[in-house]
Amino acid sequence: LGNTRPQDEPEPSQLTSQITGAIDWRREGIRHKKNEVYIDVLESVNLLLSTTGNILRNEVTGQVQMNTKLTGMPECKFGLNDKLVIEKESHGKRKPGVEIDDCTFHRCVRLGKFDADRTITFIPPDGEFELMRYRVTDNINLPFRIIPAVQEEHGQTRVSINLKVIANFSDKLFATHVVIKVPVPKNTARAKIKNSFGRAKYEPEQQAIVWRVKRFPGKAECMLAADVDLMPTVRPKAWSRPPINVEFQVPMFTASGVHVRFLRVYDKSGYHTNRWVRYITKAGGYQIRI
């Protein structure tokens, strides 16, 4: 083997660029007809609620993806509504920012600058790359509130399920690909389901009632009620009650409250840059115990 290296040891080319300041992720002489930057802020929201509605786990992991089509060797300065920066700039007068933890960056970012004053400056690679990752654990805006009531009745021959789902985001937005999986016992025979919109049906292979809503408007409330008949079993075993699982995507919404404040592009020729920003929040592990 001889040439294996510990994983956290940088590549020789990376060491060289750190020592000499060489920019090996971008070549000289790049030209674009239009100078454009696309920024995608992608967040996964993780939630675990107890049977009594207490939050057991709640955090957001985010990434900032960029696609740059810029001429020359531009220097970029990127700003989020980072609490530490906003407090320093406005002496607490402006509305507070978001506490952003555990930032990791693409190697084009000048870490010394970030450590000194939390500014994110870089000469970007050409095309698509991941600029940074982050984590937020405070003041999270949960996109969906789910209130379940699940009761086992009639000597373990029936289960009744009532579910209320509230979209906590603005009524100007909507969630897509919403899938709510409500577990039912293994010995379920059939389920009679009523729901206010979307499609819900018992799916034996998932051991769950699966409720799918293509487009869920912000501030909407909807209900699902199900009567589940169980088959008699020789040795009745207590049902383990796995959690309700929720999947969704909410475009133009961040659960952490993070948003892009600015992207400045400095190039010696002083060209104009068009910028586009998109936000998407999706479910990571979003679970409610029943």
Side-chain angles (χ1 to χ4, degrees):
L1 287 164
N3 61 352
T4 54
R5 195 171 35 252
Q7 283 202 309
D8 51 358
E9 211 174 282
E11 293 286 325
S13 66
Q14 235 174 309
L15 278 175
T16 314
S17 71
Q18 281 165 15
I19 295 160
T20 61
I23 297 158
D24 57 358
W25 58 84
R26 187 182 180 94
R27 59 184 175 79
E28 295 272 353
I30 292 172
R31 299 199 63 77
H32 287 282
K33 242 183 192 162
K34 278 184 178 168
N35 293 290
E36 301 177 315
V37 179
Y38 298 87
I39 303 166
D40 279 349
V41 179
L42 310 171
E43 291 197 340
S44 277
V45 55
N46 299 299
L47 171 74
L48 179 60
L49 276 189
S50 76
T51 47
T52 53
N54 292 329
I55 291 173
L56 303 177
R57 191 184 81 229
N58 190 15
E59 64 161 29
V60 169
T61 54
Q63 55 194 119
V64 178
Q65 300 271 13
M66 292 187 100
N67 187 354
T68 63
K69 299 175 180 186
L70 297 171
T71 298
M73 275 290 190
E75 170 100 31
C76 294
K77 195 172 176 185
F78 178 72
L80 296 170
N81 56 334
D82 178 346
K83 189 176 177 186
L84 294 177
V85 176
I86 288 176
E87 277 177 359
K88 201 168 60 192
E89 284 176 6
S90 65
H91 311 295
K93 287 190 193 91
R94 239 185 305 162
K95 77 173 189 219
V98 173
E99 234 171 279
I100 300 172
D101 306 319
D102 301 343
C103 295
T104 56
F105 295 98
H106 186 278
R107 61 198 182 96
C108 67
V109 173
R110 299 203 165 100
L111 289 180
K113 288 278 293 160
F114 183 76
D115 291 340
D117 56 12
R118 286 188 75 98
T119 55
I120 300 168
T121 54
F122 55 97
I123 292 171
D126 193 44
E128 290 183 22
F129 68 102
E130 183 183 281
L131 176 70
M132 66 180 287
R133 289 184 172 229
Y134 60 87
R135 203 163 67 95
V136 173
T137 53
D138 270 355
N139 301 321
I140 290 166
N141 316 309
L142 290 172
F144 284 100
R145 189 158 161 241
I146 292 176
I147 305 158
V150 177
Q151 280 178 323
E152 297 172 67
E153 302 170 358
H154 298 302
Q156 298 185 330
T157 61
R158 278 182 64 195
V159 174
S160 78
I161 296 167
N162 282 289
L163 200 61
K164 187 178 188 179
V165 181
I166 303 161
N168 278 334
F169 43 90
S170 153
D171 55 10
K172 295 184 176 71
L173 305 176
F174 55 87
T176 59
H177 309 298
V178 178
V179 181
I180 300 167
K181 291 179 186 165
V182 185
V184 292
K186 276 184 184 162
N187 58 323
T188 293
R190 64 192 153 269
K192 216 166 88 191
I193 307 163
K194 283 191 195 130
N195 50 301
S196 43
F197 55 76
R199 296 172 68 175
K201 65 178 204 277
Y202 165 53
E203 297 188 7
E205 65 283 3
Q206 306 243 22
Q207 283 177 26
I209 290 169
V210 182
W211 185 10
R212 293 182 168 86
V213 183
K214 280 192 181 141
R215 194 181 155 109
F216 199 121
K219 296 285 175 252
E221 280 188 23
C222 66
M223 307 285 289
L224 176 138
D227 284 322
V228 179
D229 290 331
L230 306 180
M231 286 180 278
T233 50
V234 181
R235 290 194 199 88
K237 213 167 84 185
W239 177 36
S240 64
R241 290 183 166 237
I244 292 170
N245 247 306
V246 190
E247 296 165 25
F248 54 78
Q249 283 192 5
V250 190
M252 299 318 283
F253 170 85
T254 56
S256 67
V258 160
H259 65 252
V260 176
R261 287 171 66 212
F262 59 80
L263 174 76
R264 300 190 185 114
V265 178
Y266 305 97
D267 183 79
K268 54 180 183 283
S269 66
Y271 55 71
H272 172 73
T273 305
N274 288 321
R275 307 160 187 77
W276 283 272
V277 184
R278 282 190 309 187
Y279 301 92
I280 293 184
T281 288
K282 64 182 178 58
Y286 206 91
Q287 297 186 323
I288 294 91
R289 288 186 179 161
I290 55 175

